[in-house]
Amino acid sequence: MKFGKVDDPGSVDFTLPPDHPQTKEVLNRYEEGKFENVRIGCAKWNRQDLKNFYPRGTKDELSYYATQFNAIELNASFYRIFPDAQFETWYGKAAEDFQFSPKIPRIISHIKRLNDTERLVDDVVANMLPLKEKLGCCFLQMPDNFMPKWMERLEPFFKHWPKEIPLAVELRHTDWYNDQHIADQLNDLLLKYNLASVIVDAAGRRDLLHMRLTNATAFIRYNGANHPSDYTRLDDWLERIGEWYEQGLKQLYFYVHQNLEEASPLLSAYFIEKFNKKFGTDIVIPQTLASKK
């Protein structure tokens, strides 16, 4: 993911900002207890991107990937509307305890920009249903130039989206977050429709670390900078997630990206191993060719 890339990651202050006060208020509405759903994965499964990951002779990349991770950020669904048969095929290839987080197709978000998209949404949702219990939290990502002046387009989309399917929302234009009035209006809509607010951790876009949860789901898109700080940043995230867990966090979707994706499995393995130790979970730790040496 080249979004938020900087030339000198070493010059960036990667400190996570403090939580918005609402985060604790929202999480405290839920009973303390164990996580209900934790998903950690990468953004792609193809061999060309995930270097040093697939053993020689691997014939089906998704089938192998699903033995090493329990989720995928399904960016492929952004580029076209796949037929239901394709989702049925993916369902059959994935392990039993696996979930997909499909990205809403760009014809809805980037081309039509949420205008008159009800029938398209219906088709997209119907086609995804063959994923059944393997359908995780979907996410809507609006383009960088989708500004708050078009806020009135959000609520019709949110209202039409089926309540039974979790959805997280990512808005990239900085005015959604640096204007307090706008940020509050957006937040109220997400609360109203029980939608998660995507948190993006990218070197060049620290403004997207709003740290303002709108329900008991944290959907985090972590963009490593191919720099040694990638690992210490993950340590910081573990601490913050621990605080949220104590306050009532129930669902976590944590997807690892990099500007050069080759190290994403290594970062994920590091994160999952520490996550298991911290929270007593037994999530499979992915094995990369580098970690087998």
Side-chain angles (χ1 to χ4, degrees), residues 45-51 54-59 61:
W45 68 61
N46 65 75
R47 189 189 305 265
Q48 286 186 326
D49 288 303
L50 299 186
K51 308 293 185 183
Y54 291 101
R56 182 176 297 180
T58 301
K59 295 182 178 179
E61 295 162 357

Side-chain angles (χ1 to χ4, degrees), residues 242-293:
E243 294 173 11
W244 291 348
Y245 175 74
E246 292 177 357
Q247 294 167 8
L249 185 69
K250 297 302 180 186
Q251 286 83 224
L252 173 67
Y253 294 85
F254 195 99
Y255 290 115
V256 177
H257 302 247
Q258 277 202 313
N259 299 324
L260 299 175
E261 293 286 0
E262 58 185 10
S264 294
L266 288 171
L267 290 174
S268 301
Y270 175 89
F271 185 77
I272 292 171
E273 183 175 11
K274 288 205 162 189
F275 190 96
N276 283 341
K277 291 179 180 178
K278 185 175 183 65
F279 296 102
T281 50
D282 58 354
I283 301 170
V284 172
I285 301 172
Q287 297 294 307
T288 69
L289 299 186
S291 65
K292 291 177 181 179
K293 292 179 181 179

Side-chain angles (χ1 to χ4, degrees), residues 26-230:
V26 166
L27 294 179
N28 281 339
R29 298 172 188 169
Y30 300 86
E31 294 182 5
E32 295 182 10
K34 295 182 179 180
F35 279 113
E36 295 175 357
N37 193 20
V38 174
R39 301 290 162 176
I40 303 169
C42 298
K44 303 175 181 179
W45 68 61
N46 65 75
R47 189 189 305 265
Q48 286 186 326
D49 288 303
L50 299 186
K51 308 293 185 183
N52 294 320
F53 179 63
Y54 291 101
R56 182 176 297 180
T58 301
K59 295 182 178 179
D60 191 291
E61 295 162 357
L62 174 57
S63 294
Y64 179 77
Y65 175 96
T67 67
Q68 301 298 301
F69 290 94
N70 67 5
I72 183 78
E73 185 187 277
L74 188 60
N75 280 279
S77 60
F78 174 70
Y79 297 100
R80 56 173 290 199
I81 297 179
F82 285 99
D84 55 357
Q86 182 61 70
F87 285 99
E88 188 173 357
T89 297
W90 286 336
Y91 177 91
K93 290 183 176 183
E96 182 176 347
D97 183 29
F98 188 87
Q99 285 190 353
F100 298 83
S101 286
K103 189 175 184 179
I104 304 302
R106 63 181 175 180
I107 189 172
I108 292 174
S109 59
H110 286 54
I111 298 175
K112 297 183 74 68
R113 299 166 70 89
L114 304 186
N115 271 324
D116 189 27
T117 58
E118 287 81 2
R119 292 186 64 181
L120 282 171
V121 169
D122 292 343
D123 289 343
V124 167
V125 170
N127 290 354
M128 292 191 303
L129 290 181
L131 290 178
K132 296 183 279 190
E133 77 282 358
K134 296 177 186 177
L135 176 58
C137 185
C138 303
F139 73 106
L140 169 73
Q141 179 194 90
M142 297 306 296
D144 301 13
N145 60 2
F146 184 82
M147 297 179 285
K149 66 180 181 180
W150 293 301
M151 184 180 290
E152 73 278 357
R153 300 184 189 181
L154 295 177
E155 185 160 17
F157 179 88
F158 295 166
K159 185 176 182 180
H160 189 74
W161 183 262
K163 296 179 176 60
E164 299 79 14
I165 299 177
L167 179 70
V169 178
E170 177 182 340
L171 295 165
R172 289 183 158 187
H173 193 282
T174 191
D175 286 352
W176 291 102
Y177 307 102
N178 63 22
D179 184 313
Q180 189 60 53
H181 178 65
I182 294 297
D184 289 342
Q185 285 185 286
L186 169 62
N187 177 76
D188 290 346
L189 281 175
L190 297 174
L191 287 171
K192 180 178 180 180
Y193 292 98
N194 191 31
L195 305 177
S197 186
V198 173
I199 297 175
V200 180
D201 185 349
R205 288 299 305 273
R206 310 310 288 165
D207 55 317
L208 299 184
L209 287 164
H210 54 76
M211 313 308 273
R212 188 176 190 177
L213 299 187
T214 47
N215 57 20
T217 297
F219 194 109
I220 300 163
R221 304 184 74 222
Y222 175 87
N223 187 17
N226 299 98
H227 185 266
S229 62
D230 291 348

Side-chain angles (χ1 to χ4, degrees), residues 2-15:
K2 296 182 179 180
F3 177 75
K5 182 180 180 181
V6 297
D7 293 331
D8 181 16
S11 66
V12 177
D13 180 3
F14 283 112
T15 304

Side-chain angles (χ1 to χ4, degrees), residues 226-237:
N226 299 98
H227 185 266
S229 62
D230 291 348
Y231 290 90
T232 56
R233 290 166 61 196
L234 289 174
D235 292 338
D236 292 343
W237 268 113

